[in-house]
Amino acid sequence: MTATVSATGISKRYGNVHAVKDVSFALNAGETIALVGHNGAGKTTLIKLMLGLIRPTTGTLKMLGEDPAQGDFHVRQRLGYLPESVSFHMALTGRETLSFYARLKRVPLSSADALFERVGLAQEAADRPVRTYSKGMRQRLGLAQALLGEPRVLLLDEPTSGLDPALRRSFYDLIGDLRSDGATVLLSSHALTELEDRADRVIIINRGVKIADGTVDELRRIARLPTRIGVRFAEDPGPQWPSGETGWKRTPTGAFETEVAPEDKIALLHRMTVQPAKLADLTVIEPTLDDLYAHFLTGQACK
């Protein structure tokens, strides 16, 4: 895969504060990456480093093969950024706002109009002052601004803040299209549940240190957290069940639940499905991204 962003041993100090410590990673073309961490973990500092707004104290960072802090305009032109809190001139219309950013980025103004429909803003809204916009509309205008010039690298900080569930689905459909077109999309977010099935890879940052990096399946293999299995029988199996099974607990709804190690999951499922007619329901719940995040944070705290 082609790396569009590469960081090698980058650190950033602010006096005695070590905001980022010896972080290395590569972000690839056609990849969606979730950057996960609590407030103050170092996510925003990493994004500022990638944008070239600040320089690393040590280490090297390349954006599209160049140092983003050197001010190469062609690199900045292929970079899109949506901050966590978007802020626009309230007296300008949406169209005037997007035209202003298009001129700054030196991209055709004609591309600005097409973006309104792409991000779900009606054309009539484009000619209204931004002060009349809801938070979700301003967020969509910010996304349109980030998409100017068809960027190869898109850095999005809490991009779904203020969007309702339907608009969130539309947003992730758009991200999927960008990924298919070969863009690198970095999503910095606290919304771990919605990222779980939408990110190709997860990078977890805590106290300025990268503590995990991989697909959700890879992180599950590393963490070795148990899988939760639930079963509901077509008829009450009676007090003798579970004979020969251990760890099962009856729930208030009459179902049974247990937790099983990853290497024992398939064998247990095989035993439970030998007589499928006796089963009314069977659920398998793998460790979620929330579970993995808590696991790796706890592991770092113990070091």
Side-chain angles (χ1 to χ4, degrees), residues 123-178:
Q123 287 297 322
E124 57 267 24
D127 294 311
R128 283 167 40 194
V130 173
R131 67 173 176 271
T132 67
Y133 282 21
S134 66
K135 181 180 179 181
M137 292 173 70
R138 291 196 297 272
Q139 193 76 0
R140 280 177 277 164
L141 180 61
L143 180 59
Q145 169 274 137
L147 293 175
L148 284 166
E150 299 182 354
R152 287 186 58 198
V153 178
L154 199 57
L155 307 177
L156 307 176
D157 196 356
E158 297 293 343
T160 59
S161 173
L163 301 184
D164 62 41
L167 288 174
R168 288 184 183 184
R169 286 194 296 271
S170 298
F171 165 79
Y172 283 112
D173 288 342
L174 175 58
I175 294 303
D177 292 339
L178 294 168

Side-chain angles (χ1 to χ4, degrees), residues 14-298:
Y14 296 99
N16 294 327
V17 177
H18 214 155
V20 172
K21 306 174 187 178
D22 193 27
V23 172
S24 298
F25 57 79
L27 310 183
N28 301 308
E31 186 178 38
T32 300
I33 306 98
L35 181 63
V36 174
H38 61 268
N39 290 334
K43 305 190 306 298
T44 299
T45 300
L46 279 175
I47 289 175
K48 287 181 178 179
L49 287 164
M50 286 184 273
L51 289 169
L53 298 177
I54 57 177
R55 295 174 181 268
T57 306
T58 58
T60 59
L61 179 64
K62 296 292 184 182
M63 171 72 69
L64 300 173
E66 303 290 338
D67 181 349
Q70 291 295 334
D72 189 316
F73 176 74
H74 296 291
V75 170
R76 293 178 181 272
Q77 194 176 40
R78 304 309 306 275
L79 180 62
Y81 172 54
L82 175 66
E84 180 177 359
S85 299
V86 294
S87 180
F88 300 114
H89 196 298
M90 292 291 129
L92 296 179
T93 66
R95 193 181 310 279
E96 290 169 339
T97 299
L98 215 54
S99 296
F100 169 74
Y101 284 102
R103 287 192 294 271
L104 283 180
K105 211 168 187 180
R106 301 179 200 172
V107 297
L109 295 179
S110 57
S111 66
D113 286 341
L115 285 173
F116 284 108
E117 183 176 354
R118 195 174 186 188
V119 300
L121 275 175
Q123 287 297 322
E124 57 267 24
D127 294 311
R128 283 167 40 194
V130 173
R131 67 173 176 271
T132 67
Y133 282 21
S134 66
K135 181 180 179 181
M137 292 173 70
R138 291 196 297 272
Q139 193 76 0
R140 280 177 277 164
L141 180 61
L143 180 59
Q145 169 274 137
L147 293 175
L148 284 166
E150 299 182 354
R152 287 186 58 198
V153 178
L154 199 57
L155 307 177
L156 307 176
D157 196 356
E158 297 293 343
T160 59
S161 173
L163 301 184
D164 62 41
L167 288 174
R168 288 184 183 184
R169 286 194 296 271
S170 298
F171 165 79
Y172 283 112
D173 288 342
L174 175 58
I175 294 303
D177 292 339
L178 294 168
R179 177 188 179 280
S180 298
D181 291 339
T184 300
V185 183
L186 180 75
L187 301 169
S188 175
S189 178
H190 293 96
L192 303 188
T193 302
E194 67 183 50
L195 291 174
E196 187 166 331
D197 296 324
R198 295 180 171 100
D200 301 304
R201 195 166 123 224
V202 179
I203 297 176
I204 302 178
I205 300 290
N206 187 44
R207 294 184 293 188
V209 177
K210 186 184 78 170
I211 59 175
D213 183 354
T215 67
V216 172
D217 285 340
E218 287 170 345
L219 298 185
R220 282 175 179 151
R221 286 195 292 271
I222 295 169
R224 292 185 51 76
L225 295 177
T227 298
R228 191 162 77 250
I229 295 177
V231 61
R232 186 187 302 277
F233 292 95
E235 297 180 0
D236 192 328
Q240 74 277 7
W241 200 91
S243 176
E245 297 286 352
T246 59
W248 289 91
K249 296 179 180 179
R250 185 186 285 265
T251 70
T253 62
F256 293 87
E257 285 188 351
T258 190
E259 291 187 340
V260 60
E263 65 271 19
D264 298 327
K265 175 179 64 177
I266 299 302
L268 176 59
L269 290 173
H270 177 72
R271 294 198 302 273
M272 297 304 301
T273 54
V274 169
Q275 295 179 299
K278 292 187 175 182
L279 302 181
D281 190 24
L282 182 67
T283 59
V284 180
I285 303 176
E286 299 289 359
T288 66
L289 185 52
D290 281 292
D291 297 329
L292 295 167
Y293 177 60
H295 169 82
F296 285 107
L297 275 149
T298 302

